[in-house]
Amino acid sequence: MKVQSQKPFLWIPGQGCDAAALARMRAAFPRPREPMGEAWFMGETRAMFWDLLGDLSTLPIGDLQTALFEIASGTKNFGERTEWTDWYHHILVQTLPRAHERHISSYIETLITTFMSLYFNGVAREPYKGFRRDALNTLGRSIMNPECWDGERIKIGRFLRREYNPRVGVWFWRDASGDFSASMFFCLKYLAAEEIAPWLRSVLSIPDPHWRAQIMVWFIGAYDLLTGRIDDPSSYEISDCPSVYWDSAHLLTRAASDGAPTHFLPQANRDAALTTLAAVMLDEVYLDWLCSIAAFDYLESELADLPERFRMLYILGAAP
């Protein structure tokens, strides 16, 4: 299968899922002949996901998320099975255009969690040559899809799922949206170490104030994982403040055969991310971010002390 020459992997608003990469993936992953079975079953009868044999473009997102949860939880607890791997690949490539649809959580979060459960230790064995890069250029860039952006400004509500809650009078910008958090971790995990710096610089260059706010709260919430204080996302809770949890992230834990934990993010990738952030986030850049955020009273109010926490951690290097 012919693979295109690689360009730097960047996040550029409006340049999302790559059509050529998706076409290659669809050619590689046809629909399995047999239906997928549930992961958790006792006795002689096993529930089967017969609906997956139909048109996946019309299947409710909640039903797709249920099937993917079976794959992710089943793989975590019972190990890899060809049945689940084949079905995940097919579901991924057929439903990726629906990545920003939502049931309780955004569908992209579930797609990413299941991918990570199957490739927890990286894409060491590609189903075909170039698969890792194609996955990055599709699933890893879906957050840049044109329907999510108006130029360099996000379409609030289309993704970064912040919604106004009149009962408490806040939008919850103090937490990282699940689609953003999952996408950030996906790229940090599967990019090569040398690809991290140009990608992260492109992330940090997007000028939208709401985007900048999400970056700040995400880096605060991700601090322990980025610095190696925790090994994997299973330690995260949706109640954390700021929260960087995404759909079913608690499933993402794996122990090595010798009992030692397996780091979710490669050390070289974490180092590259921290080095790049320090190089970009100079005092004048930080002040520019604060000024842009201050243009939105609710955004500045909800972030409260978080920008200062971000400055302490990543500019002054004052570890908690």
Side-chain angles (χ1 to χ4, degrees):
M1 183 174 296
K2 184 178 179 180
V3 179
Q4 300 293 326
S5 60
Q6 293 186 5
K7 299 178 181 179
F9 181 86
L10 307 174
W11 273 5
I12 301 173
Q15 298 183 23
C17 180
D18 181 79
L22 183 59
R24 287 192 293 273
M25 295 174 78
R26 285 182 167 175
F29 303 127
R31 186 177 66 191
R33 294 183 178 182
E34 299 297 327
M36 189 187 92
E38 66 175 336
W40 299 86
F41 64 97
M42 303 292 289
E44 298 180 358
T45 303
R46 185 188 187 195
M48 308 299 288
F49 288 84
W50 294 100
D51 288 348
L52 296 180
L53 293 172
D55 184 357
L56 299 184
S57 68
T58 63
L59 202 62
I61 285 296
D63 292 354
L64 290 168
Q65 288 175 314
T66 297
L68 293 178
F69 181 82
E70 288 294 306
I71 296 173
S73 62
T75 301
K76 173 184 180 295
N77 289 283
F78 307 119
E80 182 178 347
R81 292 180 59 143
T82 301
E83 170 192 2
W84 293 330
T85 302
D86 288 350
W87 267 109
Y88 172 73
H89 287 146
H90 178 70
I91 293 170
L92 169 67
V93 300
Q94 294 301 319
T95 63
L96 194 52
R98 305 177 65 186
H100 295 290
E101 292 185 31
R102 182 181 180 89
H103 176 51
I104 296 174
S105 59
S106 293
Y107 185 49
I108 190 173
E109 300 174 44
T110 316
L111 286 171
I112 287 175
T113 297
T114 311
F115 189 104
M116 289 175 170
S117 73
L118 294 174
Y119 295 101
F120 188 87
N121 293 321
V123 188
R125 292 178 298 154
E126 293 186 304
Y128 64 85
K129 184 175 176 58
F131 168 75
R132 180 191 68 91
R133 189 67 179 197
D134 281 349
L136 283 160
N137 283 333
T138 52
L139 183 56
R141 279 177 41 188
S142 288
I143 201 168
M144 294 291 113
N145 281 356
E147 68 266 23
C148 299
W149 293 88
D150 182 7
E152 292 186 317
R153 293 298 178 99
I154 67 169
K155 294 181 179 178
I156 297 177
R158 189 65 186 87
F159 80 123
L160 302 189
R161 299 287 184 163
R162 306 294 86 183
E163 298 177 357
Y164 183 71
N165 186 323
R167 184 175 61 83
V168 294
V170 297
W171 287 79
F172 299 104
W173 285 105
R174 209 174 156 82
D175 294 323
S177 185
D179 49 5
F180 178 84
S181 190
S183 297
M184 287 289 290
F185 279 119
F186 184 85
C187 294
L188 275 172
K189 184 170 178 62
Y190 296 110
L191 285 170
E194 63 273 14
E195 297 173 309
I196 295 294
W199 163 70
L200 188 53
R201 285 181 177 273
S202 73
V203 174
L204 298 171
S205 72
I206 298 173
D208 180 80
H210 297 85
W211 179 262
R212 288 173 168 179
Q214 286 283 280
I215 291 173
M216 282 187 172
V217 299
W218 183 84
F219 268 103
I220 296 168
Y223 181 81
D224 285 349
L225 194 51
L226 290 172
T227 57
R229 293 187 173 197
I230 61 175
D231 295 312
D232 56 59
S234 65
S235 300
Y236 288 134
E237 301 285 348
I238 197 170
S239 59
D240 292 341
C241 185
S243 173
V244 293
Y245 185 86
W246 71 94
D247 183 48
S248 301
H250 62 279
L251 295 175
L252 298 173
T253 181
R254 191 74 55 83
S257 58
D258 60 0
T262 301
H263 284 285
F264 176 73
L265 295 177
Q267 177 73 54
N269 290 25
R270 290 188 279 123
D271 291 345
L274 293 173
T275 299
T276 302
L277 181 62
V280 171
M281 195 54 61
L282 304 176
D283 287 340
E284 58 268 28
V285 174
Y286 173 74
L287 290 174
D288 178 61
W289 281 38
L290 288 187
C291 289
S292 68
I293 289 170
F296 297 84
D297 290 343
Y298 63 86
L299 193 56
E300 183 181 39
S301 174
E302 290 190 23
L303 291 184
D305 65 329
L306 291 182
E308 179 61 18
R309 286 175 59 185
F310 174 84
R311 187 176 79 93
M312 293 294 290
L313 290 174
Y314 292 105
I315 299 178
L316 299 181

